Amino acid sequence: MIRRGAGIRMREAGCGLARLLFVALLAAALLMLLAPYAYRALFTDKPVLFGEETYYHVRIARQILQGAIPASDALIYNSRPYFFGPFHVVLAYLSAPLGITLASVLLPVLLGLLSLAFFYLVLGRFGILGAKRLLICALLVASPAFISTFSQPNPHALAILLYLSGFYAILRRQVLIGFVVLVATLLFGLFNSLLLLVLLLAHYTVQDRKKLVLLSVFSLVFISAAAYYLLGLGAAIPESSFGSLVSDLGGNGFGIFTFILMAAGLVFSWKERYGYVIPYCLLLFLSTYVFFNGGFAMAYLGFVVAVFSGLGLYRIASAGWNLPVVKQLTLLLIVCGLAFSTVSYVGRLANSGPGAEVVSSLSWLREQETGLVFSHYQNGFWIEYFSGKPVLLDGFLVNDLRKRYGDMQEILYSRNIERTARLLERYNVKYIYIDESMKKGRVWWNDDEGLLFVLRNREYFRKVYGTMQVQVWEYRKE
Amino acid sequence: MKLNMKLKLRPEYVLLVAVFLASLASRLFVAFGTPNFSYDAYFQLGQVESIRATFLPSFSRLFYSPHPFMPLFHYVLAFFSLFAPLHAVLKVVPNILASSSVFLAYLVSFEMTKDKAAALFSAASVGFVPVFIFSTANTLSPYALAVPLMLALVYFFLRIGENRFVALFVVFLFALVFTHPSALLFVSGLLLYVLVLYVLGAKSSRSELEIMLFSVMASIWIVFLFFKEALLAHGFSVFWQNIPGDVLAEFSGFSVFDAVFRIGLLTFIAGIFVTYRYVFEERRRDVHVVISLSLMVLALLALKLVKLDAGLMFLGVFLAVMSGEAYRSFFEYLGKSKAARMLPAVSVLLASVFILTSVAPSLLYRQSQSGEVPTSGELAAFEWLKNVSSEASVVFSDVNEGHLVVAVSGRRNFVDSNFLLSHDIGQRLSDMEKLYTAKSQITALQIMDSYDLSYIVVTDRALARRNVLSLSYVASCFSVVFEGEDTVIYEPLCRVSS
């Protein structure tokens, strides 16, 4: 009896310590997510909100706050239908008492902390406990994908929370609540419907095969419904490359050490592969999606990668090594390497655009006559937000994307004035907006390339705004 | 007290030292063929001088763009220059370091073959890989230290089961990583080794896996720290070093003839034979380590991820290490066959082929290197700039003379052969060509204004490379401030804006 009592007390003490460590991890996550904002507010003259897509969501939330849910987005050539997204509504409602900027900062951070908590609980349900669970969560918090997703307002932050909380409810056998929450994720787009299908199929393949057939029919009905009106719309322009996966190579994914640890985790977990069917299926689906479509799926992939890299790190740290000195050195390197990737990424976010020059130039443009602004599509959201003028393309899909994207490229790279003028006429372009990033490799390297060369023609173009970093040209129609 | 020590002068050691001395002698013969160093060597020279003066290398001062690099080799040279004149240190020390590969090749080869004669053959082959001599004798290249470090690491890796080699491996790995990013080649070769063993149905030992994991982590992290800015700017394209497409010919694919000439016929054939035999017929872990490294170099060459000379140099050294195994097998076979009595004749024949295809090309390089070394007239012009120009001057020169501007004149250069962190390299190279070939004075002055250039250094070689006799636009607005035997320096007298 005495022994048993001591064991229970020890277990309780262990649980207490684990909880305490988890609270510390939540605090670390909070600091990590707020760090870019703090840096921008205290040490730079840049606007507090950063990122490109951020300004789209803030603009839509502001429109909802000011009136009703918009039917279309007029700040893009030929306008784009707006499909209802729950994130914008939540952001709008939170903005009413807090103001749009504060709400845009706090909402993703709050969603991140809640997601982390549910992730912690889900891991527990799978029997991943103690140091292993804490390591996985710590690696998640340190991953650039997590920081990127939950430090900027975006719908995926809310979708992830819904997945985790819904799935946790299902694991706790509160199936109805779980399904209701999970079904809400269908409102986020076709990708989310597919992800839900993969998640549930993987889960019921392991748990209960009888429910599998029912689930498949149920899911297909929902996916068909979702596909009907969400197909492709509202999703970002795909930009896939392996480099964008690696944060140390300028991407938004994961540090190089996380990849090495993940590889180790995959090798080590293979012996117990039947216990990891769900993360394997999600890894396969998400990495395929990231490879072909890039971008936003990284937010979801971050959780799966954290599972495997955490397993890898746990195994490396807990196993007995033939060369103990090498083990200590390796662990030291891993900690330093992970910290380096994280700090470096947070610094990059803090220094990312838009800069003060971009804001002042676009605010100036707001005061000018209305007209379509041509620029690189990655500047689109900023132009829409700060100047209130329509653009040819922004980061989201449009119906005639291929043609419009091709024409944008043609205008940017052609040195033929007649061809450029014809395309500018076709889209009724009035202003051409060029910033530093376009001249430093995003579009051109040399000042006599493509459009930069064509702009020398005074007959067609007039510079109406110019600083070291930004130029705005007016196109004089024939 | 009588020392109870016997120093055994074993014949193989005497021969090994003789091979080392022969290799060193041939390197010094090449190095002292000219009093100067190759053009790119002046970057290393400038760094050594910076370390001597400030204890720190200079990653960005006076260069047209930041130049990140691994500085251990430069610290080593700066250290030796405390005890001897700098010029002598720069001519001799890199060659001693590179020649020390002979000892390490002996150790690795002996570990593989357990045959002293075979190991000696490997050592001699490594000592006379022509491309290794071309690339390191007079270039102050960090490869002179990186290659012996890599061979030492291979040896320690083969004996990683013994505790004393673990610490040595760790220390040498850090040394290699801080010498040159080619440490990544070494660790990727080790990863390939695990893969090769797995494919062949064998397993790496636990100690090997542990040291390999550490090596991967350490080298990747340190290289990322030093080249962070370049990695963020270029991502995976960093392997191409931001070299514009038309200059990328340096990375062009190689032909077998090229490889045979630069590596040496005998070394090439012997290395390929061992690779074939141990990939398809027999299995030996120690040989597979070196084979994996060779295959990794071949893969990098095929993918154009490494400069041709550097790739062939590593390939040549690894094939040379393996050639001992071929030597052992060949003579073992010959000894058992009916042709055993022809052994002396075959030995003489092989020695002759080795001398003709490995030693001779190395020595003949002394004559052909003159095109890659600045003339005394060119150096005098850059020296003149150091004494006369103001410290804030920006000096225009041909791309390969850029390091001379910084190292000899102590002035900011317009461009040099390191493009890694240049944001406008295409524009700069295009403007450089325009300044050599422009007809219009306005064009030239506009370019000079936009880069704030103070002087134009024009060498006969730079003009000859472009089939131009002289600059066409220097009649009125430029004055000749220096005129040497093969170099002229112009200073602009007007500005477009004024």
Side-chain angles (χ1 to χ4, degrees), chain A residues 12-63:
Chain A
E12 279 172 354
C15 280
L17 180 66
R19 278 191 200 131
L20 196 68
L21 285 172
F22 182 67
V23 171
L25 196 62
L26 281 174
L30 182 66
L31 276 177
M32 208 79 83
L33 297 175
L34 289 178
Y37 291 110
Y39 180 85
R40 286 172 83 89
L42 295 173
F43 303 111
T44 70
D45 56 356
K46 294 176 175 179
V48 172
L49 297 179
F50 55 88
E52 289 141 14
E53 207 184 301
T54 295
Y55 284 90
Y56 170 79
H57 301 301
V58 172
R59 182 166 62 83
I60 298 294
R62 182 173 275 169
Q63 280 183 29

Side-chain angles (χ1 to χ4, degrees), chain B residues 175-203:
Chain B
L176 177 61
V177 176
F178 282 109
T179 299
H180 197 268
S182 56
L184 292 180
L185 162 72
F186 176 72
V187 294
S188 43
L190 292 188
L191 289 174
L192 185 64
Y193 161 69
V194 176
L195 193 71
V196 167
L197 282 193
Y198 181 77
V199 169
L200 296 177
K203 255 189 162 183

Side-chain angles (χ1 to χ4, degrees), chain A residues 30 33-34 37 49 54 57-58 61-62 64 85-116 146-162 188:
Chain A
L30 182 66
L33 297 175
L34 289 178
Y37 291 110
L49 297 179
T54 295
H57 301 301
V58 172
R62 182 173 275 169
I64 293 173
F87 179 78
H88 295 143
V89 178
V90 176
L91 183 58
Y93 276 104
L94 203 60
S95 300
L98 296 176
I100 191 85
T101 306
L102 187 60
S104 302
V105 173
L106 291 182
L107 179 61
V109 174
L110 185 70
L111 294 172
L113 296 181
L114 287 171
S115 299
L116 180 61
F146 179 84
I147 296 169
S148 165
T149 308
F150 294 106
S151 62
Q152 302 167 71
N154 71 91
H156 303 291
L158 179 59
I160 287 171
L161 176 64
L162 292 176
F188 288 82

Side-chain angles (χ1 to χ4, degrees), chain A residues 242-243 247-250 256-257 260 316 320-323 326 329-330 333-334 336-337 340 344 348 445-447, chain B residues 160 166 170 206-207 210-211 213-214 216-218 220-221 224-225 228 231-232 235-236 423-424 426-427 434:
Chain A
F242 187 66
S247 68
D248 301 302
L249 296 180
I256 192 84
F257 276 20
I260 297 171
I316 287 169
W321 283 41
N322 279 0
L323 311 171
V326 175
L329 285 170
T330 306
L333 273 170
I334 290 173
C336 291
F340 168 75
S344 155
R348 199 141 56 82
W445 284 109
N446 300 339
D447 60 11
Chain B
I160 203 69
V166 175
V170 171
R206 202 177 165 122
S207 301
E210 288 170 5
I211 203 76
L213 183 65
F214 166 75
V216 170
M217 297 278 189
I220 286 182
W221 190 52
F224 268 48
L225 274 182
K228 181 187 158 202
L231 287 162
L232 286 177
F236 270 102
H423 296 300
D424 58 350
Q427 181 79 52
K434 279 183 199 162

Side-chain angles (χ1 to χ4, degrees), chain B residues 364-401:
Chain B
L364 287 173
Y365 181 67
R366 180 184 160 103
Q367 270 71 48
S368 59
Q369 68 174 325
S370 57
E372 292 158 27
V373 176
T375 64
S376 299
E378 289 169 8
L379 285 173
F382 287 103
E383 284 278 359
W384 179 88
L385 273 174
K386 181 184 185 176
N387 301 325
V388 174
S389 63
S390 77
E391 284 193 12
S393 307
V394 184
V395 179
F396 172 86
S397 70
D398 200 1
V399 63
N400 61 347
E401 297 157 357

